[in-house]
Amino acid sequence: TSWSSGGGGENHSLALNTSGDLYAWGLNSSGQLGSNTTVHRSSPVQVGSSTDWKLIVSPSYAHTVVISTG
């Protein structure tokens, strides 16, 4: 997998691959991974099924903003 961008907050990280898939990992006590759970992830898991993510722009303490092309 080739990665095109990445970012992270206090205890979580996100990465975007060149195919437009978004992955997240880390603590998830506030749902900051965007996986609709509060399960902590120690390795990257795909977030959603969308493949039109463009850019990770705003990593912060308990959230991250990602821009979609759709």
Side-chain angles (χ1 to χ4, degrees):
T1 300
S2 296
W3 302 102
S4 63
S5 77
E10 178 70 19
N11 292 305
H12 71 286
S13 298
L14 285 92
L16 183 63
N17 70 15
T18 55
S19 297
D21 302 315
L22 183 63
Y23 288 81
W25 64 99
L27 296 183
N28 194 26
S29 54
S30 299
Q32 60 266 45
L33 299 186
S35 60
N36 294 322
T37 71
T38 54
V39 175
H40 304 318
R41 303 291 182 173
S42 59
S43 58
V45 293
Q46 186 173 354
V47 178
S49 58
S50 178
T51 58
D52 62 353
W53 298 105
K54 182 178 180 180
L55 181 64
I56 298 171
V57 293
S58 180
S60 184
Y61 177 74
H63 71 277
T64 301
V65 175
V66 183
I67 295 177
S68 167
T69 61

